[in-house]
Amino acid sequence: NPLVSNNDIESLRNRTKATLKGEDPVIKLLDNRMRSCFRALVVSNPLSLQQVPTSLKTGRNLFRRRQQQQKQQVSSPSESKSIDTFDSLFKRNARQEFIRRGFAFYSNELAEASLLANKSINLILSIYGLEVIEKLFVQACQT
């Protein structure tokens, strides 16, 4: 093709090979960002994040507020505000994290995938966790 030089073709061929091998610097950067997002989200628990106080106080007001909210929910569940579930809180936090890291266009899909990854890890740990963790502790103690 007269519009494309041999140097351009060779450059494109080399860039394609580097991309497919995972050696392209841009792909490496995106891959590292994605891995760090998933690592952080797989071990996060949005419910515990919500319960951490922002300042140290006696806790009495917080305890009373929770009691009042629980009473309202029992007395009038249809009128009370819906409580966020683990899934909705996790997805919201995940979307915010992916947007913050530059993946805004795919944040909904990535949030869903990270929720599934979190659930998978938790299920695997609840089924096989003791066996795996005990082996790791024994191996660590032997070295």
Side-chain angles (χ1 to χ4, degrees):
N1 189 354
L3 298 175
V4 181
S5 70
N6 287 337
N7 289 339
D8 292 338
I9 292 173
E10 188 63 29
S11 175
L12 181 61
R13 182 176 290 127
N14 290 336
R15 299 286 284 175
T16 303
K17 286 179 184 178
T19 300
L20 291 174
K21 290 180 182 179
E23 297 171 354
D24 184 63
V26 175
I27 298 296
K28 280 184 178 180
L29 176 67
L30 290 174
D31 186 54
N32 289 338
R33 281 187 191 174
M34 188 68 67
R35 287 178 187 269
S36 67
C37 283
F38 270 87
R39 267 190 216 110
L41 291 170
V42 164
V43 296
S44 71
N45 183 352
L47 296 176
S48 65
L49 294 175
Q50 191 179 40
Q51 296 170 356
V52 176
T54 57
S55 62
L56 295 177
K57 295 182 180 178
T58 62
R60 293 182 58 88
N61 290 338
L62 181 62
F63 181 70
R64 287 184 185 157
R65 218 176 298 137
R66 282 188 187 161
Q67 282 182 332
Q68 290 172 352
Q69 288 174 350
Q70 288 173 352
K71 286 179 184 177
Q72 287 176 353
Q73 290 168 1
V74 171
S75 63
S76 59
S78 61
E79 295 176 8
S80 65
K81 291 183 179 179
S82 64
I83 296 177
D84 288 330
T85 62
F86 174 85
D87 290 7
S88 64
L89 288 171
F90 187 93
K91 285 183 190 178
R92 185 180 318 134
N93 291 342
R95 272 193 300 274
Q96 290 171 352
E97 181 68 17
F98 285 118
I99 289 169
R100 187 178 69 80
R101 302 267 182 133
F103 298 108
F105 191 71
Y106 299 106
S107 63
N108 289 330
E109 292 83 0
L110 291 170
E112 183 68 33
S114 60
L115 175 64
L116 293 174
N118 181 289
K119 287 182 173 185
S120 299
I121 293 296
N122 287 331
L123 177 63
I124 290 167
L125 283 175
S126 67
I127 294 172
Y128 302 108
L130 288 177
E131 295 173 20
V132 172
I133 291 172
E134 283 180 13
K135 287 179 184 176
L136 291 174
F137 279 138
V138 169
Q139 289 174 358
C141 291
Q142 291 175 349
T143 59

